[in-house]
Amino acid sequence: MNERVTIFDTTLRDGEQAPGIALDPDQKVAIARQLAKLGVDVVEAGFPVSSPGDFEAVTRIAREVQGPTIAAMARADSADIEAAWRALRPAESSRIHIVLATSRLHMEHKLRLSPEDVMAAVKRSVGHAAEYTEVEYSPEDATRADPDFVVAVCQAAVEAGARVINVTDTVGYSVPADYADLVGRVVREVKGDREEVVVSAHCHNDLGLAVANSLAGVEAGARQVEGAINGIGERAGNASLEEVVMALTVRRDSFGFDVGVNTEEFAKTSRMVAEMTGYPVQYNKAVVGRNAFAHESGIHQHGVLRERSTYEIMDPTSVGLRSNTLVLGKHSGRAAFKHALAEMEVSLNGPSFETAFAKMKEVADQTGEVTRERLQAIVDEVVSGDEMIRDVVDSFL
Ligand code: KIV
Ligand code: ZN
């Protein structure tokens, strides 16, 4: 049995902060139920003080969704903490997630607080929340902050009762080696006297490095990773939860950790989040994109038809898809063409097969992808041509 990495889903909080997304309480409850089926350890359900709708959503999720710990965000402010706790109270297992920035930029320009004020506010607010339930503290913009200050504030948070410290790359500025350095320092230097401190990775995707940074965090000692389904979130989004989990799962040989996620639920969860948020999934998105298990070129199709693992590192069924797809296009070869015909229960041989194959290539050149409907039209044309020739020959006999 390996050590576990805890999976913290923030689709309903950070994910919902993506421009244009507003989920109503019914939608949030439906997604939270699906996340529970997916088996994530923590569902961050929202930011209760932010709106009556979010308060209702968090309260209903706390009451109706069993399995994961239900978390709610709060600033280092007593009204936020009271609202978070009122919403979370019905949950079997809950967590208040307190956020207060630690970079000079944020302290000076956004908070207008000195480092001493930030330190005092963290102690006060974490202490307040810890009277109610488990506490996670996020030193916002940690990757652009003075690392000594980050470590000192996190230590103060732990002494005030925080059990989880979330190392935030709020603006997606970090690169894997730097992020690993910061996480490593927090892991080594922030100590609890009763319970072990869990260090968490929370990365944004502004440079396309959210997943790479999260995994570097795990290698440096983080034992919780935060992410959102389909990678949605502020600006370029959060670390994509399905990518982090599949990387840890497929490359278990390299990382050596278990995750308690039912990965077969990813396809369904991704579709549900895309539909409810109105954010489509890009075709070539890893794990859940339309093309993640699609093969178009003849060489690849031939390989996959003989042995799936020649060009697939994951079994599509492991993420909830029925099978891979062989797309007929200009690069496809005869093996995939024959396979597509066989799936339609059509058998063409000799010249008819070659004519149909040549027509498929012509259509592919014009349209990019030869759909099943277009293939059927090609087959009909070739077969009716054959019948006409047979009729002419028959009339001479
Ligand atoms: O990116 C971030 O810093 C956050 C915090 C609010 C946790 O989402
Ligand atoms: Zn974030």
Side-chain angles (χ1 to χ4, degrees), residues 13-14 202 204 238:
R13 198 278 298 168
D14 212 332
H202 179 108
H204 280 266
N238 281 83

PDB file of all heavy atoms in Angstrom, residues 13-14 202 204 238, ligand 2:
ATOM      1  N   ARG A  13     -15.814  26.232  -6.757  1.00  0.00           N
ATOM      2  CA  ARG A  13     -15.381  27.515  -6.176  1.00  0.00           C
ATOM      3  C   ARG A  13     -14.448  28.231  -7.157  1.00  0.00           C
ATOM      4  O   ARG A  13     -14.860  29.149  -7.843  1.00  0.00           O
ATOM      5  CB  ARG A  13     -14.723  27.273  -4.804  1.00  0.00           C
ATOM      6  CG  ARG A  13     -14.633  28.522  -3.939  1.00  0.00           C
ATOM      7  CD  ARG A  13     -13.461  29.414  -4.270  1.00  0.00           C
ATOM      8  NE  ARG A  13     -12.176  28.748  -4.053  1.00  0.00           N
ATOM      9  CZ  ARG A  13     -11.030  29.258  -4.496  1.00  0.00           C
ATOM     10  NH1 ARG A  13     -10.999  30.401  -5.166  1.00  0.00           N
ATOM     11  NH2 ARG A  13      -9.898  28.600  -4.299  1.00  0.00           N
ATOM     12  N   ASP A  14     -13.209  27.778  -7.282  1.00  0.00           N
ATOM     13  CA  ASP A  14     -12.279  28.457  -8.201  1.00  0.00           C
ATOM     14  C   ASP A  14     -12.734  28.258  -9.644  1.00  0.00           C
ATOM     15  O   ASP A  14     -12.656  29.173 -10.472  1.00  0.00           O
ATOM     16  CB  ASP A  14     -10.866  27.883  -8.013  1.00  0.00           C
ATOM     17  CG  ASP A  14      -9.771  28.915  -8.252  1.00  0.00           C
ATOM     18  OD1 ASP A  14     -10.000  29.847  -9.032  1.00  0.00           O
ATOM     19  OD2 ASP A  14      -8.687  28.769  -7.669  1.00  0.00           O
ATOM     20  N   HIS A 202      -1.669  24.182  -5.212  1.00  0.00           N
ATOM     21  CA  HIS A 202      -2.792  24.868  -5.879  1.00  0.00           C
ATOM     22  C   HIS A 202      -2.200  25.729  -6.987  1.00  0.00           C
ATOM     23  O   HIS A 202      -1.605  26.774  -6.724  1.00  0.00           O
ATOM     24  CB  HIS A 202      -3.552  25.715  -4.862  1.00  0.00           C
ATOM     25  CG  HIS A 202      -4.713  26.469  -5.453  1.00  0.00           C
ATOM     26  ND1 HIS A 202      -6.025  26.125  -5.204  1.00  0.00           N
ATOM     27  CD2 HIS A 202      -4.765  27.543  -6.280  1.00  0.00           C
ATOM     28  CE1 HIS A 202      -6.827  26.958  -5.850  1.00  0.00           C
ATOM     29  NE2 HIS A 202      -6.084  27.834  -6.507  1.00  0.00           N
ATOM     30  N   HIS A 204      -2.230  27.571 -10.989  1.00  0.00           N
ATOM     31  CA  HIS A 204      -3.010  28.115 -12.113  1.00  0.00           C
ATOM     32  C   HIS A 204      -2.224  27.975 -13.415  1.00  0.00           C
ATOM     33  O   HIS A 204      -1.004  27.788 -13.418  1.00  0.00           O
ATOM     34  CB  HIS A 204      -3.423  29.559 -11.820  1.00  0.00           C
ATOM     35  CG  HIS A 204      -4.620  29.608 -10.909  1.00  0.00           C
ATOM     36  ND1 HIS A 204      -5.898  29.693 -11.390  1.00  0.00           N
ATOM     37  CD2 HIS A 204      -4.712  29.527  -9.553  1.00  0.00           C
ATOM     38  CE1 HIS A 204      -6.741  29.679 -10.365  1.00  0.00           C
ATOM     39  NE2 HIS A 204      -6.049  29.572  -9.228  1.00  0.00           N
ATOM     40  N   ASN A 238      -7.447  26.465 -13.598  1.00  0.00           N
ATOM     41  CA  ASN A 238      -6.743  25.727 -12.547  1.00  0.00           C
ATOM     42  C   ASN A 238      -6.064  24.508 -13.148  1.00  0.00           C
ATOM     43  O   ASN A 238      -6.313  24.150 -14.288  1.00  0.00           O
ATOM     44  CB  ASN A 238      -7.770  25.223 -11.519  1.00  0.00           C
ATOM     45  CG  ASN A 238      -8.204  26.293 -10.547  1.00  0.00           C
ATOM     46  OD1 ASN A 238      -9.071  27.093 -10.830  1.00  0.00           O
ATOM     47  ND2 ASN A 238      -7.575  26.313  -9.399  1.00  0.00           N
TER      48      ASN A 238
HETATM   49 ZN    ZN B   2      -6.901  29.591  -7.361  1.00  0.00          ZN
END
